[in-house]
Amino acid sequence: MEHVYQEITHITAEKNIMLDELLKNHTYTRLGGKADILVTPETFSEVQELVKLARRENIPFTLLGNGSNMIVKDGGIRGIVMSQKQFQNIRVESGTIFAQSGAAIIDVSRRALKERLTGLEFACGIPGTVGGALFMNAGAYGGEIKDVLEEAVVVDREGTLLTLPAEDLDLEYRTSNIPDKGYIVLEAKFKLQPGKYEDIKVIMDDLTYKRESKQPLEYPSCGSVFKRPPGYFAGKLIQDSELQGKGIGGAEVSTKHAGFIVNKNNATATEYISVIELVQKTVKDKFGVFLEREVKIIGEDADAETVKSVKQN
């Protein structure tokens, strides 16, 4: 990968390039093996050039948000992994919020409050980035991204910069066409409505209380692990299966909220995924309902020695 590294130094500064970087240090879940090359570009044009380089050299290219709804396996990720952590700018123009993909969606909702704009209150408890929120049409407490998104700036598989209206992203319940199209979200434009600061704050305070009182925020996790099965609630099925507190290694079904699996004690991705599979099997055996994962799993499997190394580092 030396020649690839040299090519990347012509695209972005060396300080933005890391070799054999352990991804558990860059994910919200604190899970993940090593990336061959982790790059944190500073401009949209740098992203375009990285995509073109990966395509030209036929190198795997993976986008990493903050990993709040993603599990990276212990074998890590080959090729180029790109982090958007340097894209955190949020600006407001005439009741419209423009937020870059690496900004926390919680911070965007707080900015909306400051500007007395209503519509993003539901996002005050979602731990992911703007890019991740669009990727899965994130939602909570009756609201979702498609309710407020006007358009998005993306880079396609060819490295072309596009501005797309929200309807072109096929936003549905916890899905979009972003993964299928291979889009990399760089910025979102949210159209909100004027509101009263006090009214917006009351709603956000209430939702924040509900989140903090019911969710196990004291431990790393991938958030809500499973989609809601038709006619049921995933958390209720897991709770009724008496799985709370059950774990493998450092990963455990939360005793506070059955829909969460927490990284309680330096879990590996292998342990975390094993708990997910245990929950799926138990619920299917007991209630005949298969729980579909909401969280995405990426990366390569690891042998026992690699898993041990990840746990120790």
Side-chain angles (χ1 to χ4, degrees), residues 171-212:
L171 300 169
E172 298 295 341
Y173 177 69
R174 302 299 179 267
T175 63
S176 72
N177 66 16
I178 292 171
D180 291 340
K181 297 279 189 179
Y183 293 146
I184 296 172
V185 176
L186 297 181
E187 186 174 76
K189 179 181 179 182
F190 297 108
K191 187 64 176 176
L192 306 177
Q193 301 300 319
K196 293 183 179 180
Y197 180 92
E198 295 76 11
D199 294 344
I200 298 169
K201 189 173 187 303
V202 165
I203 294 171
M204 289 178 65
D205 286 348
D206 179 55
L207 296 183
T208 298
Y209 171 76
K210 287 179 179 177
R211 174 174 178 258
E212 291 179 348

mmCIF file of all heavy atoms in Angstrom, residues 171-212:
data_model
loop_
_atom_site.group_PDB
_atom_site.id
_atom_site.type_symbol
_atom_site.label_atom_id
_atom_site.label_comp_id
_atom_site.label_asym_id
_atom_site.label_seq_id
_atom_site.Cartn_x
_atom_site.Cartn_y
_atom_site.Cartn_z
ATOM 1 N N LEU A 171 -35.981 8.128 0.753
ATOM 2 C CA LEU A 171 -35.967 7.985 2.205
ATOM 3 C C LEU A 171 -37.241 7.302 2.690
ATOM 4 O O LEU A 171 -38.342 7.802 2.491
ATOM 5 C CB LEU A 171 -35.825 9.364 2.874
ATOM 6 C CG LEU A 171 -34.561 10.147 2.517
ATOM 7 C CD1 LEU A 171 -34.665 11.580 3.027
ATOM 8 C CD2 LEU A 171 -33.332 9.475 3.100
ATOM 9 N N GLU A 172 -37.054 6.147 3.319
ATOM 10 C CA GLU A 172 -38.168 5.402 3.903
ATOM 11 C C GLU A 172 -37.771 4.984 5.319
ATOM 12 O O GLU A 172 -36.717 5.374 5.802
ATOM 13 C CB GLU A 172 -38.508 4.179 3.042
ATOM 14 C CG GLU A 172 -38.967 4.512 1.622
ATOM 15 C CD GLU A 172 -40.287 5.282 1.575
ATOM 16 O OE1 GLU A 172 -41.033 5.246 2.574
ATOM 17 O OE2 GLU A 172 -40.575 5.901 0.527
ATOM 18 N N TYR A 173 -38.617 4.164 5.964
ATOM 19 C CA TYR A 173 -38.339 3.793 7.348
ATOM 20 C C TYR A 173 -36.948 3.151 7.473
ATOM 21 O O TYR A 173 -36.708 2.048 6.998
ATOM 22 C CB TYR A 173 -39.403 2.835 7.886
ATOM 23 C CG TYR A 173 -39.123 2.353 9.296
ATOM 24 C CD1 TYR A 173 -39.209 3.229 10.383
ATOM 25 C CD2 TYR A 173 -38.751 1.043 9.543
ATOM 26 C CE1 TYR A 173 -38.933 2.811 11.670
ATOM 27 C CE2 TYR A 173 -38.465 0.602 10.830
ATOM 28 C CZ TYR A 173 -38.566 1.491 11.889
ATOM 29 O OH TYR A 173 -38.279 1.072 13.163
ATOM 30 N N ARG A 174 -36.036 3.873 8.086
ATOM 31 C CA ARG A 174 -34.657 3.450 8.377
ATOM 32 C C ARG A 174 -33.873 3.023 7.133
ATOM 33 O O ARG A 174 -32.922 2.267 7.238
ATOM 34 C CB ARG A 174 -34.634 2.320 9.423
ATOM 35 C CG ARG A 174 -35.290 2.678 10.753
ATOM 36 C CD ARG A 174 -34.606 3.858 11.439
ATOM 37 N NE ARG A 174 -35.268 4.180 12.692
ATOM 38 C CZ ARG A 174 -36.247 5.102 12.794
ATOM 39 N NH1 ARG A 174 -36.646 5.767 11.730
ATOM 40 N NH2 ARG A 174 -36.800 5.341 13.966
ATOM 41 N N THR A 175 -34.261 3.547 5.983
ATOM 42 C CA THR A 175 -33.524 3.215 4.768
ATOM 43 C C THR A 175 -33.453 4.412 3.827
ATOM 44 O O THR A 175 -34.218 5.376 3.947
ATOM 45 C CB THR A 175 -34.167 2.053 3.987
ATOM 46 O OG1 THR A 175 -35.465 2.448 3.545
ATOM 47 C CG2 THR A 175 -34.269 0.793 4.815
ATOM 48 N N SER A 176 -32.526 4.316 2.881
ATOM 49 C CA SER A 176 -32.420 5.265 1.773
ATOM 50 C C SER A 176 -31.732 4.529 0.636
ATOM 51 O O SER A 176 -31.321 3.375 0.785
ATOM 52 C CB SER A 176 -31.588 6.477 2.188
ATOM 53 O OG SER A 176 -30.212 6.114 2.298
ATOM 54 N N ASN A 177 -31.588 5.196 -0.511
ATOM 55 C CA ASN A 177 -30.860 4.570 -1.608
ATOM 56 C C ASN A 177 -29.379 4.940 -1.587
ATOM 57 O O ASN A 177 -28.632 4.588 -2.502
ATOM 58 C CB ASN A 177 -31.494 4.932 -2.964
ATOM 59 C CG ASN A 177 -31.374 6.422 -3.293
ATOM 60 O OD1 ASN A 177 -30.595 7.153 -2.691
ATOM 61 N ND2 ASN A 177 -32.161 6.872 -4.261
ATOM 62 N N ILE A 178 -28.951 5.650 -0.549
ATOM 63 C CA ILE A 178 -27.562 6.109 -0.456
ATOM 64 C C ILE A 178 -26.561 4.955 -0.528
ATOM 65 O O ILE A 178 -25.592 5.026 -1.298
ATOM 66 C CB ILE A 178 -27.361 6.964 0.807
ATOM 67 C CG1 ILE A 178 -28.139 8.280 0.669
ATOM 68 C CG2 ILE A 178 -25.879 7.239 1.074
ATOM 69 C CD1 ILE A 178 -28.196 9.120 1.925
ATOM 70 N N PRO A 179 -26.757 3.853 0.233
ATOM 71 C CA PRO A 179 -25.797 2.750 0.110
ATOM 72 C C PRO A 179 -25.820 2.079 -1.257
ATOM 73 O O PRO A 179 -24.764 1.746 -1.809
ATOM 74 C CB PRO A 179 -26.220 1.779 1.220
ATOM 75 C CG PRO A 179 -27.616 2.147 1.572
ATOM 76 C CD PRO A 179 -27.731 3.613 1.324
ATOM 77 N N ASP A 180 -27.012 1.891 -1.837
ATOM 78 C CA ASP A 180 -27.110 1.234 -3.141
ATOM 79 C C ASP A 180 -26.491 2.078 -4.254
ATOM 80 O O ASP A 180 -25.874 1.538 -5.180
ATOM 81 C CB ASP A 180 -28.575 0.948 -3.489
ATOM 82 C CG ASP A 180 -29.181 -0.128 -2.601
ATOM 83 O OD1 ASP A 180 -28.409 -0.901 -2.006
ATOM 84 O OD2 ASP A 180 -30.415 -0.177 -2.491
ATOM 85 N N LYS A 181 -26.658 3.383 -4.150
ATOM 86 C CA LYS A 181 -26.100 4.284 -5.159
ATOM 87 C C LYS A 181 -24.606 4.557 -4.934
ATOM 88 O O LYS A 181 -23.921 5.079 -5.816
ATOM 89 C CB LYS A 181 -26.854 5.620 -5.144
ATOM 90 C CG LYS A 181 -28.324 5.524 -5.500
ATOM 91 C CD LYS A 181 -28.537 5.456 -6.987
ATOM 92 C CE LYS A 181 -30.009 5.591 -7.335
ATOM 93 N NZ LYS A 181 -30.238 5.551 -8.798
ATOM 94 N N GLY A 182 -24.122 4.206 -3.740
ATOM 95 C CA GLY A 182 -22.722 4.464 -3.435
ATOM 96 C C GLY A 182 -22.423 5.926 -3.176
ATOM 97 O O GLY A 182 -21.284 6.387 -3.333
ATOM 98 N N TYR A 183 -23.435 6.680 -2.764
ATOM 99 C CA TYR A 183 -23.231 8.104 -2.484
ATOM 100 C C TYR A 183 -22.457 8.310 -1.185
ATOM 101 O O TYR A 183 -22.638 7.563 -0.215
ATOM 102 C CB TYR A 183 -24.571 8.836 -2.356
ATOM 103 C CG TYR A 183 -25.381 8.938 -3.619
ATOM 104 C CD1 TYR A 183 -26.780 8.901 -3.558
ATOM 105 C CD2 TYR A 183 -24.779 9.086 -4.871
ATOM 106 C CE1 TYR A 183 -27.554 9.014 -4.711
ATOM 107 C CE2 TYR A 183 -25.545 9.197 -6.020
ATOM 108 C CZ TYR A 183 -26.932 9.153 -5.937
ATOM 109 O OH TYR A 183 -27.698 9.266 -7.071
ATOM 110 N N ILE A 184 -21.636 9.343 -1.154
ATOM 111 C CA ILE A 184 -21.012 9.817 0.075
ATOM 112 C C ILE A 184 -21.637 11.170 0.388
ATOM 113 O O ILE A 184 -21.478 12.131 -0.379
ATOM 114 C CB ILE A 184 -19.488 9.973 -0.083
ATOM 115 C CG1 ILE A 184 -18.838 8.618 -0.354
ATOM 116 C CG2 ILE A 184 -18.877 10.616 1.164
ATOM 117 C CD1 ILE A 184 -17.365 8.708 -0.704
ATOM 118 N N VAL A 185 -22.377 11.252 1.461
ATOM 119 C CA VAL A 185 -23.027 12.507 1.839
ATOM 120 C C VAL A 185 -21.977 13.465 2.407
ATOM 121 O O VAL A 185 -21.175 13.094 3.268
ATOM 122 C CB VAL A 185 -24.133 12.267 2.888
ATOM 123 C CG1 VAL A 185 -24.743 13.600 3.340
ATOM 124 C CG2 VAL A 185 -25.210 11.351 2.332
ATOM 125 N N LEU A 186 -21.977 14.700 1.904
ATOM 126 C CA LEU A 186 -21.040 15.710 2.395
ATOM 127 C C LEU A 186 -21.747 16.841 3.138
ATOM 128 O O LEU A 186 -21.166 17.443 4.046
ATOM 129 C CB LEU A 186 -20.224 16.292 1.236
ATOM 130 C CG LEU A 186 -19.322 15.300 0.492
ATOM 131 C CD1 LEU A 186 -18.559 16.013 -0.612
ATOM 132 C CD2 LEU A 186 -18.357 14.618 1.445
ATOM 133 N N GLU A 187 -22.990 17.114 2.746
ATOM 134 C CA GLU A 187 -23.722 18.203 3.409
ATOM 135 C C GLU A 187 -25.215 17.996 3.225
ATOM 136 O O GLU A 187 -25.661 17.463 2.205
ATOM 137 C CB GLU A 187 -23.306 19.561 2.822
ATOM 138 C CG GLU A 187 -23.906 20.761 3.556
ATOM 139 C CD GLU A 187 -23.360 22.084 3.030
ATOM 140 O OE1 GLU A 187 -23.800 22.505 1.932
ATOM 141 O OE2 GLU A 187 -22.501 22.677 3.695
ATOM 142 N N ALA A 188 -25.985 18.405 4.223
ATOM 143 C CA ALA A 188 -27.448 18.325 4.161
ATOM 144 C C ALA A 188 -28.042 19.715 4.340
ATOM 145 O O ALA A 188 -27.521 20.533 5.101
ATOM 146 C CB ALA A 188 -27.977 17.391 5.246
ATOM 147 N N LYS A 189 -29.139 19.935 3.649
ATOM 148 C CA LYS A 189 -29.878 21.194 3.769
ATOM 149 C C LYS A 189 -31.223 20.889 4.399
ATOM 150 O O LYS A 189 -32.039 20.166 3.826
ATOM 151 C CB LYS A 189 -30.058 21.823 2.384
ATOM 152 C CG LYS A 189 -30.847 23.127 2.372
ATOM 153 C CD LYS A 189 -30.972 23.646 0.935
ATOM 154 C CE LYS A 189 -31.765 24.943 0.871
ATOM 155 N NZ LYS A 189 -31.931 25.408 -0.538
ATOM 156 N N PHE A 190 -31.438 21.430 5.609
ATOM 157 C CA PHE A 190 -32.673 21.181 6.342
ATOM 158 C C PHE A 190 -33.565 22.425 6.292
ATOM 159 O O PHE A 190 -33.140 23.526 6.666
ATOM 160 C CB PHE A 190 -32.370 20.845 7.805
ATOM 161 C CG PHE A 190 -31.575 19.583 7.987
ATOM 162 C CD1 PHE A 190 -30.250 19.623 8.377
ATOM 163 C CD2 PHE A 190 -32.160 18.344 7.768
ATOM 164 C CE1 PHE A 190 -29.516 18.461 8.551
ATOM 165 C CE2 PHE A 190 -31.443 17.168 7.944
ATOM 166 C CZ PHE A 190 -30.115 17.228 8.332
ATOM 167 N N LYS A 191 -34.786 22.232 5.841
ATOM 168 C CA LYS A 191 -35.758 23.321 5.797
ATOM 169 C C LYS A 191 -36.641 23.244 7.026
ATOM 170 O O LYS A 191 -37.412 22.295 7.206
ATOM 171 C CB LYS A 191 -36.611 23.219 4.527
ATOM 172 C CG LYS A 191 -37.525 24.419 4.329
ATOM 173 C CD LYS A 191 -36.733 25.712 4.108
ATOM 174 C CE LYS A 191 -37.660 26.891 3.809
ATOM 175 N NZ LYS A 191 -36.910 28.164 3.688
ATOM 176 N N LEU A 192 -36.540 24.231 7.907
ATOM 177 C CA LEU A 192 -37.287 24.237 9.162
ATOM 178 C C LEU A 192 -38.258 25.410 9.200
ATOM 179 O O LEU A 192 -38.277 26.258 8.302
ATOM 180 C CB LEU A 192 -36.300 24.302 10.334
ATOM 181 C CG LEU A 192 -35.213 23.217 10.336
ATOM 182 C CD1 LEU A 192 -34.250 23.426 11.488
ATOM 183 C CD2 LEU A 192 -35.829 21.828 10.401
ATOM 184 N N GLN A 193 -39.050 25.456 10.238
ATOM 185 C CA GLN A 193 -40.052 26.508 10.392
ATOM 186 C C GLN A 193 -39.737 27.376 11.604
ATOM 187 O O GLN A 193 -39.187 26.890 12.598
ATOM 188 C CB GLN A 193 -41.449 25.892 10.554
ATOM 189 C CG GLN A 193 -41.882 25.012 9.390
ATOM 190 C CD GLN A 193 -41.931 25.750 8.071
ATOM 191 O OE1 GLN A 193 -42.388 26.896 8.019
ATOM 192 N NE2 GLN A 193 -41.453 25.106 7.017
ATOM 193 N N PRO A 194 -40.100 28.653 11.555
ATOM 194 C CA PRO A 194 -39.892 29.516 12.728
ATOM 195 C C PRO A 194 -40.715 29.009 13.909
ATOM 196 O O PRO A 194 -41.834 28.517 13.731
ATOM 197 C CB PRO A 194 -40.402 30.888 12.266
ATOM 198 C CG PRO A 194 -40.404 30.816 10.769
ATOM 199 C CD PRO A 194 -40.677 29.386 10.415
ATOM 200 N N GLY A 195 -40.148 29.099 15.094
ATOM 201 C CA GLY A 195 -40.855 28.665 16.294
ATOM 202 C C GLY A 195 -40.441 29.497 17.484
ATOM 203 O O GLY A 195 -39.580 30.376 17.377
ATOM 204 N N LYS A 196 -41.050 29.228 18.623
ATOM 205 C CA LYS A 196 -40.703 29.934 19.848
ATOM 206 C C LYS A 196 -39.635 29.131 20.605
ATOM 207 O O LYS A 196 -39.768 27.921 20.772
ATOM 208 C CB LYS A 196 -41.943 30.113 20.732
ATOM 209 C CG LYS A 196 -42.982 31.053 20.138
ATOM 210 C CD LYS A 196 -44.151 31.238 21.105
ATOM 211 C CE LYS A 196 -45.180 32.203 20.539
ATOM 212 N NZ LYS A 196 -46.323 32.387 21.472
ATOM 213 N N TYR A 197 -38.614 29.826 21.049
ATOM 214 C CA TYR A 197 -37.495 29.187 21.738
ATOM 215 C C TYR A 197 -37.996 28.330 22.903
ATOM 216 O O TYR A 197 -37.583 27.175 23.055
ATOM 217 C CB TYR A 197 -36.523 30.256 22.244
ATOM 218 C CG TYR A 197 -35.325 29.700 22.972
ATOM 219 C CD1 TYR A 197 -34.146 29.415 22.286
ATOM 220 C CD2 TYR A 197 -35.363 29.450 24.346
ATOM 221 C CE1 TYR A 197 -33.040 28.892 22.944
ATOM 222 C CE2 TYR A 197 -34.262 28.927 25.017
ATOM 223 C CZ TYR A 197 -33.107 28.651 24.304
ATOM 224 O OH TYR A 197 -32.030 28.134 24.963
ATOM 225 N N GLU A 198 -38.883 28.898 23.712
ATOM 226 C CA GLU A 198 -39.352 28.194 24.905
ATOM 227 C C GLU A 198 -40.109 26.910 24.538
ATOM 228 O O GLU A 198 -39.940 25.873 25.187
ATOM 229 C CB GLU A 198 -40.266 29.104 25.743
ATOM 230 C CG GLU A 198 -39.578 30.316 26.342
ATOM 231 C CD GLU A 198 -39.316 31.432 25.341
ATOM 232 O OE1 GLU A 198 -39.855 31.352 24.210
ATOM 233 O OE2 GLU A 198 -38.560 32.363 25.683
ATOM 234 N N ASP A 199 -40.920 26.978 23.481
ATOM 235 C CA ASP A 199 -41.685 25.802 23.072
ATOM 236 C C ASP A 199 -40.765 24.691 22.550
ATOM 237 O O ASP A 199 -40.950 23.506 22.863
ATOM 238 C CB ASP A 199 -42.691 26.180 21.978
ATOM 239 C CG ASP A 199 -43.783 27.119 22.485
ATOM 240 O OD1 ASP A 199 -43.946 27.232 23.713
ATOM 241 O OD2 ASP A 199 -44.456 27.734 21.634
ATOM 242 N N ILE A 200 -39.784 25.099 21.758
ATOM 243 C CA ILE A 200 -38.828 24.125 21.203
ATOM 244 C C ILE A 200 -38.027 23.490 22.324
ATOM 245 O O ILE A 200 -37.818 22.276 22.362
ATOM 246 C CB ILE A 200 -37.892 24.808 20.183
ATOM 247 C CG1 ILE A 200 -38.697 25.367 19.015
ATOM 248 C CG2 ILE A 200 -36.839 23.813 19.673
ATOM 249 C CD1 ILE A 200 -37.906 26.280 18.097
ATOM 250 N N LYS A 201 -37.589 24.311 23.269
ATOM 251 C CA LYS A 201 -36.753 23.827 24.367
ATOM 252 C C LYS A 201 -37.513 22.853 25.265
ATOM 253 O O LYS A 201 -36.956 21.846 25.732
ATOM 254 C CB LYS A 201 -36.218 24.983 25.206
ATOM 255 C CG LYS A 201 -35.158 24.554 26.235
ATOM 256 C CD LYS A 201 -34.534 25.742 26.910
ATOM 257 C CE LYS A 201 -33.364 25.309 27.789
ATOM 258 N NZ LYS A 201 -33.707 24.313 28.806
ATOM 259 N N VAL A 202 -38.789 23.121 25.519
ATOM 260 C CA VAL A 202 -39.600 22.218 26.341
ATOM 261 C C VAL A 202 -39.644 20.836 25.705
ATOM 262 O O VAL A 202 -39.483 19.811 26.384
ATOM 263 C CB VAL A 202 -41.030 22.780 26.528
ATOM 264 C CG1 VAL A 202 -41.968 21.695 27.046
ATOM 265 C CG2 VAL A 202 -41.021 23.948 27.495
ATOM 266 N N ILE A 203 -39.866 20.787 24.399
ATOM 267 C CA ILE A 203 -39.920 19.496 23.697
ATOM 268 C C ILE A 203 -38.571 18.790 23.771
ATOM 269 O O ILE A 203 -38.490 17.595 24.084
ATOM 270 C CB ILE A 203 -40.334 19.700 22.225
ATOM 271 C CG1 ILE A 203 -41.770 20.222 22.142
ATOM 272 C CG2 ILE A 203 -40.198 18.380 21.445
ATOM 273 C CD1 ILE A 203 -42.191 20.652 20.747
ATOM 274 N N MET A 204 -37.494 19.526 23.503
ATOM 275 C CA MET A 204 -36.159 18.924 23.511
ATOM 276 C C MET A 204 -35.760 18.459 24.902
ATOM 277 O O MET A 204 -35.160 17.390 25.062
ATOM 278 C CB MET A 204 -35.133 19.903 22.942
ATOM 279 C CG MET A 204 -35.287 20.109 21.439
ATOM 280 S SD MET A 204 -34.124 21.311 20.734
ATOM 281 C CE MET A 204 -32.553 20.487 21.016
ATOM 282 N N ASP A 205 -36.096 19.234 25.907
ATOM 283 C CA ASP A 205 -35.790 18.831 27.290
ATOM 284 C C ASP A 205 -36.531 17.557 27.661
ATOM 285 O O ASP A 205 -35.985 16.656 28.316
ATOM 286 C CB ASP A 205 -36.154 19.946 28.270
ATOM 287 C CG ASP A 205 -35.183 21.109 28.237
ATOM 288 O OD1 ASP A 205 -34.099 20.958 27.621
ATOM 289 O OD2 ASP A 205 -35.491 22.161 28.828
ATOM 290 N N ASP A 206 -37.780 17.465 27.213
ATOM 291 C CA ASP A 206 -38.589 16.273 27.510
ATOM 292 C C ASP A 206 -38.013 15.043 26.813
ATOM 293 O O ASP A 206 -37.875 13.973 27.424
ATOM 294 C CB ASP A 206 -40.029 16.506 27.055
ATOM 295 C CG ASP A 206 -40.912 15.293 27.308
ATOM 296 O OD1 ASP A 206 -40.967 14.830 28.469
ATOM 297 O OD2 ASP A 206 -41.541 14.795 26.351
ATOM 298 N N LEU A 207 -37.646 15.192 25.543
ATOM 299 C CA LEU A 207 -37.093 14.064 24.797
ATOM 300 C C LEU A 207 -35.724 13.665 25.336
ATOM 301 O O LEU A 207 -35.397 12.473 25.391
ATOM 302 C CB LEU A 207 -36.990 14.418 23.310
ATOM 303 C CG LEU A 207 -38.320 14.677 22.588
ATOM 304 C CD1 LEU A 207 -38.087 14.942 21.108
ATOM 305 C CD2 LEU A 207 -39.290 13.512 22.765
ATOM 306 N N THR A 208 -34.944 14.658 25.746
ATOM 307 C CA THR A 208 -33.630 14.367 26.330
ATOM 308 C C THR A 208 -33.784 13.600 27.636
ATOM 309 O O THR A 208 -33.054 12.632 27.900
ATOM 310 C CB THR A 208 -32.848 15.666 26.576
ATOM 311 O OG1 THR A 208 -32.630 16.327 25.322
ATOM 312 C CG2 THR A 208 -31.492 15.376 27.228
ATOM 313 N N TYR A 209 -34.759 13.996 28.442
ATOM 314 C CA TYR A 209 -35.014 13.284 29.706
ATOM 315 C C TYR A 209 -35.418 11.840 29.437
ATOM 316 O O TYR A 209 -34.926 10.907 30.084
ATOM 317 C CB TYR A 209 -36.103 13.993 30.515
ATOM 318 C CG TYR A 209 -36.549 13.179 31.710
ATOM 319 C CD1 TYR A 209 -35.761 13.099 32.858
ATOM 320 C CD2 TYR A 209 -37.743 12.454 31.672
ATOM 321 C CE1 TYR A 209 -36.149 12.332 33.947
ATOM 322 C CE2 TYR A 209 -38.143 11.679 32.753
ATOM 323 C CZ TYR A 209 -37.339 11.624 33.889
ATOM 324 O OH TYR A 209 -37.726 10.849 34.943
ATOM 325 N N LYS A 210 -36.321 11.656 28.468
ATOM 326 C CA LYS A 210 -36.768 10.302 28.142
ATOM 327 C C LYS A 210 -35.592 9.447 27.687
ATOM 328 O O LYS A 210 -35.465 8.280 28.075
ATOM 329 C CB LYS A 210 -37.827 10.352 27.039
ATOM 330 C CG LYS A 210 -39.177 10.871 27.501
ATOM 331 C CD LYS A 210 -40.164 10.916 26.351
ATOM 332 C CE LYS A 210 -41.531 11.419 26.830
ATOM 333 N NZ LYS A 210 -42.500 11.539 25.710
ATOM 334 N N ARG A 211 -34.735 10.029 26.880
ATOM 335 C CA ARG A 211 -33.574 9.289 26.372
ATOM 336 C C ARG A 211 -32.625 8.938 27.502
ATOM 337 O O ARG A 211 -32.185 7.800 27.639
ATOM 338 C CB ARG A 211 -32.855 10.127 25.314
ATOM 339 C CG ARG A 211 -31.549 9.519 24.806
ATOM 340 C CD ARG A 211 -30.995 10.338 23.653
ATOM 341 N NE ARG A 211 -29.735 9.789 23.193
ATOM 342 C CZ ARG A 211 -28.540 10.280 23.490
ATOM 343 N NH1 ARG A 211 -28.441 11.349 24.260
ATOM 344 N NH2 ARG A 211 -27.433 9.727 23.025
ATOM 345 N N GLU A 212 -32.283 9.922 28.334
ATOM 346 C CA GLU A 212 -31.298 9.689 29.389
ATOM 347 C C GLU A 212 -31.813 8.766 30.478
ATOM 348 O O GLU A 212 -31.035 8.025 31.089
ATOM 349 C CB GLU A 212 -30.867 11.035 29.985
ATOM 350 C CG GLU A 212 -30.042 11.881 29.008
ATOM 351 C CD GLU A 212 -29.655 13.219 29.593
ATOM 352 O OE1 GLU A 212 -30.212 13.592 30.664
ATOM 353 O OE2 GLU A 212 -28.814 13.911 28.986
#
